[in-house]
Amino acid sequence: MASVNKLGQHQARMAYLFITPTMLLFAVFMVIPVVMALYLSFTNYDVLSSHDWVGLDNYRRLAGDALLWQTFLNVMYYAVVFVPLNLLISLLLAMLLNKRKVGVKLFRTFYYLPTLTSAVAAATVWIWMLHPEYGLINGLLAYLGITGPAWVSQTETAMLSIIVMTLWQSVGSNMIIYLAGLQGVPEHLYESARLDGASRFACFRYITWPQLRPTTFLVSVMAIIGALQLFDQAFVLTQGGPANVTKTPVYLIYQQGFNQLQMGYASAQAFVLAMAILVFSIISMRITKAEEPIV
Amino acid sequence: MTADSVPQTKSNPQPERLGVPMRKRGLNIIFYVICSVIAVVMFLPFYWSVLTSFKPDNEMFSMPIKWITTNITFEHYYNAFTTVPFGLYFWNSFVLATAGVLLNLFFGSLSGYAFAKLNFRMNKPFFRILLISMMVPGIVTMIPSVYVLRHIPFAGGNDLFGSGGYGLMNSFWGIILPGASGTFAVFFMRQFFLTLPSDMMETARIEGCGEFRIFWRIYLPLTKPALATLAIFTFQAGWNSFLWPMIVLNDPAKATIQMGLQAFSYNYQTDYGPMMAGALVAILPILVLFLMLQRYFIQGIAFSGIKG
């Protein structure tokens, strides 16, 4: 018995050794920063000179910060348009390619290619695609006799440009997730429905769609979390403009913290954003847990 | 992760039999037409940037669009690499992404193995904390992480108490260390190790094999597919990351390719030729990686999609 215990102790000691690097890095770059994030949001820290406790001043200030709330409205607008379109397109693509036919694999590859591009590179390409005079989009519209807008520099179309670009970039990976979901739908459900004479639409409405609900929920929650943290695209494609219509909360926090060095105030802004994200993270965690307990 | 959670195509080209109804053939044609049109739309931005990168300036700025160019020029690539040190940026990104991959594979699988296969009292509590931390958005830790990096003791001119210098700011370590053992890597590897049987471990222990050797020699080689998937994802994330490197690295000589590309398109706003050349160079490594190792990409997405 004693030797078994000793063996167990040795094993445990080795286990702690194995996780030491991970836990050490975790403590330094996760635990400390999270605690500090809360602390900094009550100070006027600016890297250089001041580092004083200012109580709730930052939070009082952000309540009246019109630009901050505008950035939230901007990403809400983005999310409201982007998330449903993203779901719809990726589901349609998945259903289209959920077949065993020659060439299907090649098509999947093609639809997946845009997801490999970095946001910066994609935005760089789209700056040129959306060029008002010589861009591809307006060139194509010209064939139809339409004079296209100056996409990224008009307030009406700037956010739309980001949405279109991000859709191009992200439907491919959601298509794969949906394909996995579709292949998890038990075949016998369709068989019995067909025996009962259900139409194709009825099959979709009463079998596919309900079966895919967890996938849809997860994909949309992840898309919303991504939308709340939108930065790269807005930074490169539109630089937050025109008239701040494409400025996002992360963009604002970045500027406040690293251009104006008001890190205390930026921390308070980050904390508000984090709370918004946390709501959606908890929802997604709940769904995943409900399906399959991890621990 | 099981293999059947992954979309698989078995394309069985069936020989066209006589008497296939016309309707079916018609539907088939419609299917391929729709798929091809979408493929063209998805591929168009790639074609457009490749085309632009090889087109002389006068053809670029002309309407209607010239869809094919006969005067192929490499001048834009030459300009992109000489106006700014693109080659250096490329190398910097490569070093950072590769370091991220190696460290994540090692630390991720080491602790993933411990959490999956070894008994110790804090196993579940620690793992739960790691899982919960995955919900913390990067934006929260961004500013305090800068503070932490600046005040790492003995680094970048700092003293024991972490003051006096710049710490790890403006250093590659400031990017490598915070991401060296990503929670996702630990989680991903743990899930994979859980699927492996434990009896090999018992046998090896009886033979007197040390714990690290059991991990390194017996279990790690069995996780090659998972390691490949993780490596690809970590590389892609490292290569494409933008905001954090931009915050940490101030020295232009240390800039990553994404930073260099952004600065280029900001500073040379009308040089679309070199811009497209630069963007393509920034995309190319991931594209090549994908075409070589497609299977692992798809598996990884299916995993992250299912597990959240």
Side-chain angles (χ1 to χ4, degrees), chain A residues 75-93:
Chain A
V75 286
M76 262 161 71
Y77 168 66
Y78 169 86
V80 165
V81 182
F82 174 78
V83 175
L85 278 177
N86 186 16
L87 286 178
L88 187 74
I89 297 173
S90 38
L91 179 58
L92 284 177
L93 291 181

Side-chain angles (χ1 to χ4, degrees), chain A residues 107-152:
Chain A
F107 286 125
R108 284 185 195 164
T109 305
F110 266 93
Y111 301 177
Y112 186 74
L113 282 184
T115 66
L116 300 169
T117 60
S118 70
V120 177
T124 308
V125 171
W126 280 78
I127 291 174
W128 175 228
M129 297 260 299
L130 295 166
H131 191 278
E133 282 168 86
Y134 304 109
L136 178 90
I137 302 287
N138 283 357
L140 288 174
L141 288 176
Y143 287 124
L144 305 171
I146 301 169
T147 312
W151 292 96
V152 297

Side-chain angles (χ1 to χ4, degrees), chain A residues 219-232:
Chain A
V219 171
S220 28
V221 170
M222 290 198 312
I224 292 170
I225 293 173
L228 284 167
Q229 302 191 73
L230 190 69
F231 173 78
D232 294 7

